[in-house]
Amino acid sequence: GARFPAPLEGASGTAPSRARGTARQAPTDPQPPSNSITRVDLRWPGGLPDGGRHGFTPTHRTRLEAVLPAMAARIATALPDNAHRVLILGFEELMYAPLRLATELERTTSAEVRYSTTTRSPVLAVDDPGYAIRTRLVFPAHDDPADGPGERYAYNVAGAGFDAVVAVVDSVADTPALHAPDGLLARLAEHTPHVLLAVVPSYVPAVPAGAAQDAPERPATMLPEPLRGPAFSSYAPEEVGWLLQDLSDVTLEAPTEEREEAIQSGGAHYAESLPVEYQPSEQYQQLFHNALDASSARLAHAVGVVTETVLAERSPRPVLVSLARAGTPVGILMRRWAQHRHGLDLPHYAVSIVRGRGIDANALRRLAAHHDPRDVVFVDGWTGKGAITRELAQAVEKFEKTYGVSGFDPEIAVLADPGSCVRTYGTREDYLIPSACLNSTVSGLISRTVLRADLVGPDDYHGAKYYRELADADLSVAFLDAVSARFEEVTEAACAEAKELLAADRTPTWEGWAAVERISEEYGIHDVNLVKPGVGETTRVLLRRVPWKVLARAGAGSDLDHVRLLAEQRGVPVEEVADLPYTCVGLIHPRYTRGATGADGTAVTR
């Protein structure tokens, strides 16, 4: 039941209209441009048209009505506290969606809300109280129109005394021209202290069955919206958006020994299948809880250090992009710290990166279409020898050459950097991060990512599965909450350490890579990919691969309790080493075939 706003006296359909009969303010001088634009993530439902220009059925209306309050609430939250007069500004034919947002915002807030749209129609503006069009803003087209570039207009915005303007555009129009110094957003910022941008996904009708499939590359602005919980993952929808496709209905799991033989023989890539999800014993689950209790404050401290470092030297409003899946819990914790310490509501996505094949280029294309690449900060859980660090740098360089998009910084921010591979980290100690103990049940019930030609096309995101059936064993949110609960007590110390690190020399030494090369030769493996250094990587070896040996630093304590238990369950020897630079190192069985033996003559078949 929101009311259609009554038109401004004598105004055309493109001039601001309102629901309350307040007197119009006289034009004022332009204000200095705003330093930044606040982007509001509406979380527009996937597949829902923006209005009647694509056909709008009763079912569509029902879906829209159900989500309108939440979308309007996100706009209201982003508005400044003193915003009493607000304009919702639509984009040419994109009228229905912004109008419905305006009426819902008016219904649910105390602000005076007006509505208008931009237009390509030139109208003479006359600053006379009796004339309908008092002021005119001129800016270049920003949607790559079929009839070529040209001027566009917004009427009765300048001088109207708006405390905030919310520009609502579709994703096709969210282009560099929109954000340019002479673009619409900059022109709006000259006349209002607060400019918000809300992007509605451009509706793309489904391709009919049997239609040609050799269409040109899908525009970045038309790539699918991120997947979110609870439909995909057990995380709250605002915590992370997954730039992945859902492969939950595809059987991808294969026995560990079968996968290992195929990978090492060159017959398959590790990202083409999934290991069977490890189901922890009651004893192992207790070790996880013990480790979490013992380390939650230490983890919270590291989260604070890395987040403060990112905010200070990377971007004051970063776009967090976790490398799925180990980076995802860390990205959520960093997002929570930014809220706790600074009141920031940071965007957070998870994307796939695959060793030897690079990062998901379609995910990067979508990020570049919706955010400034310079604000993107890639996040991971930890470094081992630095293979993914190198992979990301190469992938970003290739992406820039292929798509002509620059600005992405390939340096990863990690919770722990025992390999000394990055400059942005929470700690360089090699200790247990409890999220490394488990698989999907501490990562939102999401599998490791999948990249296989028959499942992932050139215009598709990489895939992953959502293990809904493991909900009863899910500890994902419990892990996050346990660490977040310690933020307050570690804030002062974490901020102090971050300040010290910012002034310190944090140049990577890559000592981890050198150690791995040495171990690979000493143990006759001759393949650094089979040497997995650090507590997190060793755990992965025991959970997903065919392990040969575990090297443990002499005197390592409770951080290795779960490693020792897993090694015992799989019949893997744990060898203590005096001068190991990591707490532990996992060795994958070299040249594995089913029935293969290691140097000790023992066959690894379990």
Side-chain angles (χ1 to χ4, degrees):
R3 294 172 297 153
F4 191 90
L8 188 67
E9 50 273 86
S12 72
T14 58
S17 56
R18 66 185 182 194
R20 297 177 180 85
T22 55
R24 189 185 183 283
Q25 298 183 16
T28 58
D29 293 332
Q31 303 176 22
S34 172
N35 290 328
S36 64
I37 305 300
T38 300
R39 187 181 285 270
V40 181
D41 184 358
L42 293 174
R43 296 178 203 154
W44 187 272
L48 177 65
D50 54 60
R53 56 183 176 167
H54 301 297
F56 205 78
T57 68
T59 300
H60 292 146
R61 180 180 178 86
T62 300
R63 289 185 67 197
L64 179 60
E65 295 298 327
V67 297
L68 266 175
M71 290 194 290
R74 292 182 189 109
I75 294 175
T77 299
L79 289 170
D81 293 337
N82 61 347
H84 300 300
R85 185 176 168 85
V86 177
L87 172 66
I88 304 294
L89 183 65
F91 161 62
E92 299 188 18
E93 287 83 6
L94 182 66
M95 297 180 180
Y96 182 69
L99 175 59
R100 296 296 289 113
L101 289 168
T103 54
E104 186 65 21
L105 187 67
E106 181 186 52
R107 188 182 70 82
T108 56
T109 69
S110 59
E112 176 191 343
V113 181
R114 293 198 181 202
Y115 163 78
S116 67
T117 68
T118 64
T119 178
R120 62 181 62 199
S121 301
V123 177
L124 177 67
V126 179
D127 188 16
D128 183 285
Y131 192 73
I133 305 299
R134 299 280 297 279
T135 64
R136 180 175 79 165
L137 297 183
V138 182
F139 54 93
H142 54 88
D143 60 337
D144 191 21
D147 57 351
E151 290 185 343
R152 300 294 184 262
Y153 311 95
Y155 297 110
N156 288 353
V157 177
F162 292 115
D163 301 310
V165 175
V166 183
V168 182
V169 305
D170 55 18
S171 51
V172 168
D174 186 14
T175 62
L178 175 68
H179 300 264
D182 61 343
L184 172 61
L185 299 181
R187 296 305 315 275
L188 293 174
E190 295 171 357
H191 299 279
T192 182
H194 300 281
V195 177
L196 281 63
L197 174 63
V199 180
V200 176
S202 299
Y203 181 69
V204 181
V207 178
Q213 297 299 314
D214 56 350
E217 182 179 83
R218 180 189 298 181
T221 49
M222 294 186 182
L223 287 165
E225 289 290 294
L227 300 173
R228 296 184 183 273
F232 188 83
S233 90
S234 59
Y235 293 130
E238 67 273 10
E239 301 259 48
V240 59
W242 304 82
L243 293 177
L244 297 171
Q245 61 166 315
D246 188 353
L247 300 179
S248 300
D249 295 332
V250 182
T251 300
L252 294 165
E253 292 77 12
T256 300
E257 290 76 15
E258 181 181 311
R259 293 182 71 249
E260 193 67 48
E261 184 174 21
I263 291 168
Q264 291 200 32
S265 69
H269 190 278
Y270 79 90
E272 293 177 342
S273 63
L274 293 172
V276 177
E277 277 286 304
Y278 170 70
Q279 297 303 305
S281 64
E282 186 174 334
Q283 182 183 6
Y284 188 85
Q285 290 184 63
Q286 189 56 52
L287 285 179
F288 168 83
H289 290 291
N290 293 345
L292 184 55
D293 290 342
S295 64
S296 56
R298 182 168 58 171
L299 291 171
H301 179 93
V303 169
V305 172
V306 69
T307 310
E308 293 295 325
T309 303
V310 164
L311 293 172
E313 74 179 7
R314 299 286 291 273
S315 171
R317 294 192 67 89
V319 178
L320 302 177
V321 178
S322 295
L323 303 181
R325 74 185 161 181
T328 309
V330 177
I332 294 175
L333 287 170
M334 291 176 66
R335 183 179 183 277
R336 288 189 178 190
W337 180 279
Q339 288 178 316
H340 156 78
R341 181 78 175 87
H342 301 282
L344 297 175
D345 187 14
L346 300 181
H348 177 218
Y349 303 92
V351 304
S352 170
I353 186 169
V354 176
R355 180 172 53 80
R357 299 190 178 181
I359 198 165
D360 187 338
N362 286 320
L364 288 190
R365 290 172 59 221
R366 191 187 186 283
L367 288 169
H370 291 81
H371 301 281
D372 186 338
R374 293 170 297 182
D375 288 332
V376 168
V377 177
F378 295 104
V379 174
D380 208 356
W382 56 84
T383 65
K385 55 182 174 284
I388 290 298
T389 306
R390 296 186 177 193
E391 186 78 45
L392 181 61
Q394 294 168 0
V396 167
E397 181 180 3
K398 179 180 178 181
F399 177 82
E400 291 184 347
K401 290 179 180 178
T402 302
Y403 294 98
V405 176
S406 61
F408 286 111
D409 185 345
E411 184 179 350
I412 307 174
V414 298
L415 197 60
D417 179 35
S420 188
C421 307
V422 299
R423 294 184 67 257
T424 309
Y425 54 85
T427 180
R428 275 186 168 157
E429 294 181 54
D430 181 22
Y431 62 72
L432 171 63
I433 300 172
S435 61
C437 287
L438 301 171
N439 282 330
S440 68
T441 51
V442 78
S443 303
L445 299 182
I446 300 302
S447 73
R448 205 210 58 239
T449 59
V450 174
L451 178 58
R452 207 171 79 189
D454 61 327
L455 298 173
V456 179
D459 290 333
D460 295 330
Y461 299 137
H462 295 186
K465 298 184 73 166
Y466 175 26
Y467 292 115
R468 298 170 179 83
E469 65 274 17
L470 299 181
D472 290 344
D474 188 23
L475 296 168
S476 304
V477 176
F479 168 73
L480 298 173
D481 290 348
V483 178
S484 302
R486 310 301 290 272
F487 282 173
E488 188 63 41
E489 67 187 78
V490 303
T491 295
E492 184 176 348
C495 292
E497 183 173 338
K499 188 175 181 180
E500 292 176 6
L501 279 178
L502 287 166
D505 181 6
R506 291 168 283 136
T507 304
T509 65
W510 293 91
E511 62 185 51
W513 190 276
V516 165
E517 289 182 325
R518 186 180 70 250
I519 291 169
S520 176
E521 295 307 308
E522 286 181 1
Y523 284 82
I525 297 173
H526 309 300
D527 183 353
V528 292
N529 289 326
L530 301 182
V531 180
K532 304 294 185 180
V535 180
E537 292 302 301
T538 301
T539 305
R540 285 179 166 184
V541 170
L542 291 165
L543 291 178
R544 304 183 194 171
R545 305 294 293 271
V546 174
W548 181 34
K549 290 184 180 182
V550 172
L551 309 182
R553 182 192 295 158
S558 59
D559 275 344
L560 294 190
D561 284 350
H562 76 292
V563 168
R564 294 188 182 96
L565 177 60
L566 284 175
E568 179 184 348
Q569 291 175 344
R570 299 204 64 183
V572 178
V574 178
E575 181 180 317
E576 290 204 348
V577 180
D579 59 349
L580 199 65
Y582 293 89
T583 303
C584 63
V585 175
L587 304 182
I588 295 173
H589 200 297
R591 293 171 295 282
Y592 177 78
T593 59
R594 280 166 283 190
T597 58
D600 55 4
T602 302
V604 181
T605 57
R606 279 182 285 181

